[in-house]
Structures are given as C-alpha cells and as structure tokens.
Amino acid sequence: MPFDILLKNARIVDGTGSPWYRADLAIRHDSIVRIAFNIIEPARRTIDVGGQVVAPGFIDIHSHARRGIFDVPTADNYIRMGVTTVIEGPDGSSPVPLAPFLARLDSLKKSINIGAFIGQGSVRSAVMGDVDRKATPDEIARMRTLVEQGMKDGAFGLSSGLFYVPGTFTPTEEVIELAKVAGRFGGIYISHMRDEAKGVVASVKETIRIGEEGGLPTQITHHKVVGPGYWGQSVETLRLVEEARARGVDATIDQYPYTASATSIAAALLPAWALEGTNAAIQARLKDPATRAKIKTESVQILKLERGGGDAKNVVIAHCAFDPTLDGRSLADITTLHGMEPTLDNAAESAMWIVEKGGCQGIFHAISEDDLVRILRYPGTMIATDGEIPIFGKSNPHPRSYGTFARVLGVYVREKHAITLEDAVRKMTSYPAQRLGLADRGVLRPGMKADVVVFDPATVRDKATFENPHQYAEGFSTVIVNGHVAFERGAMSAARPGVVLYGPAKQR
Ligand SMILES: [Zn+2]
C-alpha cells in the first residue's frame, strides 16, 4: 500500500532536542509510518521540501482559542505559525461544565486540534459567585465535584488565574483542595499567578506549594516579571523553581516572547478589591468619592511600578467595545483627548473612566528583555501564546496570537542565538506534549500522529507588531494535521482535520 504523503529531503528536528538529521518522512492515514534516510517506496503525494526543517506540529499549552474558534474554525493565525494543537481554559477561566463545550468543538469542522483545562475561577464563580470571602466546607465540596466532572469530561488539569476575580479572593488552601482532585485524575495544575509584579517571588512560592501539597505537576504560565520596579527578579524565581525540582516537585514554566502583556484595563490597572461582585457594585464604588479616591491612589501606584511601566504611553488599548475608535490609542492619548496632561494621576482617571464606560482590553509594555531571555533559556520553560483566534483585521490584539512561535524561531534562535533551533522546537513540541500526557504527539517517530510542520529556518519570522498585529507569520511552507495538509503554499486547504483531544481521565 503506498504512503499517503511522503516528505523528501528533510532536515528532521524531531522534537526531542536532539540535533537535526537528514531523512524522508512518510505518512499513512493520520500517522507517521516511516522516517528513513532515503525512502523509495511510492506515495500518493510526494513533497520535496528541499532541505527545509520538518518538525512536529507545535502545541500551545496556554490558548484562549474559544475566543474565535467558532468564528474562524481554520484558526489561520495558529496554523500559519505551525501550531497544530491548542489547549483552552487557561487563567482559571473555562466553560463549566466542560462536556457541552467539548461536544460542540467535536462537531465543529476545524483545522486545529483542541483540548481544555477546567478553570478554578469559573468553578468558584459557579458555586459562590465573585465574592471576596472564604468558601464554606459545603461550597468546597461542590467545587471539588465540578473539578472531578471536568476531569472526567476530558480536562487536562486545573487552571487558575489567581490574579483575576474571583481567583484573587481564593485562599491557597482552597486551590490546593481542588488541585488534589485534578491530580487524582492525572491532571496538572497551571496558573496565571496571583501577582507577576511586586509579589512575583511569593507567587512562585505559592504555585510550587500548590503542586507540592496538591500532589500534582505544577506550571507557572506565561512567566514574566511585570513592572520596572521588579525587573531582574526572574533570577530568584528560576532559582526557586530549580530548588523545588531538586527536591522532587515537578514545577515547570511556559512563556510568550514579548515584553508586553495583555488583559483587561480593569484587571490590570485597578486594585482587585475594587472589582468584587457585580458590575453595579463596581460602578457604585467608582461613584463614591472616598472609594474612588482610594482606587485612584492604588491605580497610580500600579501605573508607576507595575503594568503601567511608569508611563501612560506604555498602556495601549487593544479593543474597546464601547468605542472601537480608541483601539490602538494609548492611555496617554486618551488622557490628552479628555483635555488633561498625561500624568500618571490623570491616567488613573482615564483608567477609571474606561471601567465606567464598560471596560476595554489593553496591552501593557512593562516587561524587560533580560528577564524574558533568562526565562526562555531555562530548560524547564516551554513556549505558549496566551493568544486567541482573532478575526482577521478586527480590533488591535496582542501580536502573540499571530507571532509567538515564529518569533521564537526568527528572533531568539536565528537573530539573537538565545537558544538553539532544536531546543526551541523541543519547547514547542515534546515538552508540552509530555506535560499534557499526549503520548502520541510532539515527537517525529513512526507510530505518532502526523502533526507535522515544514519551515525554512533562514526565513521563518513573525510579522505581527503591536502597531499592526494582523499579519501572519512567514516561513512555513506546509502544515499537516492528523495526516492531512491544512496549509501549503501560502493558503489554507479545504481539509478540516483537527480533532478534540481529551485529558488523562478520558483519553481515547
Ligand atoms: Zn493569563
């Protein structure tokens, strides 16, 4: 029986981190069936890749793909930078229950593989709302049941976003109780930590503790140090991770390669206590002069030392539903538009005005390149986007959604030599696969699922910028998902070969 696809003349970067080698790769149905120096048997389709790199499809362990997957099921932004699998439900936020969402994804004809975490914040919200108090034993029992159901539905583990409401109201001990449930079903814990600025070191300790006492692998997601007041603390955070690993705690990291983060203006620039409860409660606090003054004082500090990076120009609007003409404008611009000098004091007023108007998504330039590279070089760090599936040309998303994986290959491998090509590919493939327990993906080897990317290491690059984010990555010539070509010669194919991937408690 002939092969379905034969890739000839490849530089195989197999995902393990081993040096590349020259070989051909043969695919039949949805699997890799042979890799050898010179395959001469017939194939229905032969593609001479002419010495380009052939690597496993990239796996994004932190994706907000449910923003967009049902609008753009081809996930062009992801596929065109080599990503063949995305894992949803990060930052403590997932559908609860998970089963109907996964069923809907299963019936969707899509180009990309997708799986999910169950979110601690969403579980807490479902049981007790967004309130700032400890859970009762009965509420904890109900939350444990929801996490157990999530794991049985196919989650890869428990995600948290302890920075956000309601994660920020959650005591560590409560997270540990839920982490134990995820661990019992073979899942991992992955956390957007409580504080990535002033409290980054304490937050790393908390993340390690949750893994240690919860009895499961633990991951610091999109690890960064936010705010010029705290730059350099990645030396200490990496030391803590290394120390935990030395005593047997399975602690790991993922990261995106940008010196700006993205989240809502409210979560980033207002204190968490101001965001408790319903929108009406939030608005009432902003109307009360004394409370407003207190919010403003804290917001000025956040602008100065944390997400504001010390200057209102460092905060840029990604998307404002109430006024899309603000997309792409900085908080300094908006302050000026309101007839005020763009001081931090006045910028805090603009931030509160934005929250009063219904809120916007923002981009925050407040990360140092030194911390970024230090974290990237750490062997226990994998690559993840924290991105979504944008509608092409709409709003002003963080460029990570279009560029993350290509940027690591173009900027940090080719231009800066921060890591090797083989190590970069390992961080994008076998490492996240191993973390998720995906035993049949992430490495090029006969018997593995045929998620395969072909790219030119001399030209691969991200094109998306903060000013002009809607630009696809370049340098990928062919992307194969489950043995079917999803992308080639600059265009998406008609195939929709993506499948839903299920976690350890429900693996097919
Ligand atoms: Zn996050």
Side-chain angles (χ1 to χ4, degrees), residues 276-310:
E276 187 192 350
T278 60
N279 188 46
I282 297 166
Q283 299 301 340
R285 280 184 208 109
L286 287 166
K287 275 200 185 72
D288 175 67
T291 314
R292 187 183 180 92
K294 213 174 148 219
I295 294 171
K296 184 173 170 180
T297 305
E298 292 195 34
S299 179
V300 170
Q301 286 306 304
I302 294 169
L303 282 163
K304 191 171 166 190
L305 298 172
E306 305 194 2
R307 299 255 169 188

Side-chain angles (χ1 to χ4, degrees), residues 7-21:
L7 301 177
K8 294 285 289 180
N9 300 314
R11 262 189 270 176
I12 301 278
V13 177
D14 70 3
T16 64
S18 291
W20 67 265
Y21 64 101

Side-chain angles (χ1 to χ4, degrees), residues 233-251:
Q233 295 199 8
S234 61
V235 173
E236 178 62 6
T237 62
L238 295 179
R239 194 190 64 73
L240 285 168
V241 170
E242 200 50 26
E243 188 186 274
R245 294 189 62 80
R247 66 172 188 271
V249 182
D250 186 356

Side-chain angles (χ1 to χ4, degrees), residues 116-306:
F117 291 108
I118 182 84
Q120 178 269 335
S122 302
V123 163
R124 191 178 216 259
S125 199
V127 168
M128 53 192 287
D130 291 343
V131 291
D132 185 1
R133 64 165 172 83
K134 278 189 176 175
T136 64
D138 173 60
E139 286 166 339
I140 292 181
R142 278 151 64 204
M143 287 190 259
R144 290 173 59 99
T145 304
L146 288 178
V147 173
E148 175 171 341
Q149 191 57 53
M151 292 304 299
K152 287 176 177 166
D153 289 345
F156 283 91
L158 179 72
S159 81
S160 77
L162 303 184
F163 170 71
Y164 296 108
V165 170
T168 187
F169 304 141
T170 312
T172 309
E173 294 73 19
E174 183 185 314
V175 183
I176 291 170
E177 285 311 302
L178 303 191
K180 283 178 185 166
V181 178
R184 188 151 51 85
F185 288 92
I188 65 166
Y189 174 69
I190 183 166
S191 181
H192 176 151
M193 301 192 300
R194 206 174 283 277
D195 189 342
E196 295 175 309
K198 189 179 186 180
V200 68
V201 169
S203 292
V204 166
K205 287 180 184 161
E206 181 185 33
T207 309
I208 291 167
R209 180 183 162 203
I210 291 166
E212 196 159 18
E213 295 182 21
L216 79 177
T218 184
Q219 181 148 320
I220 300 164
T221 201
H222 53 52
H223 188 30
K224 56 175 140 359
V225 178
V226 173
Y230 315 108
W231 287 351
Q233 295 199 8
S234 61
V235 173
E236 178 62 6
T237 62
L238 295 179
R239 194 190 64 73
L240 285 168
V241 170
E242 200 50 26
E243 188 186 274
R245 294 189 62 80
R247 66 172 188 271
V249 182
D250 186 356
T252 50
I253 294 168
D254 67 70
Q255 178 194 35
Y256 54 75
Y258 294 90
T259 54
S261 59
T263 189
S264 76
I265 293 284
L269 300 183
L270 268 53
W273 60 262
L275 305 173
E276 187 192 350
T278 60
N279 188 46
I282 297 166
Q283 299 301 340
R285 280 184 208 109
L286 287 166
K287 275 200 185 72
D288 175 67
T291 314
R292 187 183 180 92
K294 213 174 148 219
I295 294 171
K296 184 173 170 180
T297 305
E298 292 195 34
S299 179
V300 170
Q301 286 306 304
I302 294 169
L303 282 163
K304 191 171 166 190
L305 298 172
E306 305 194 2

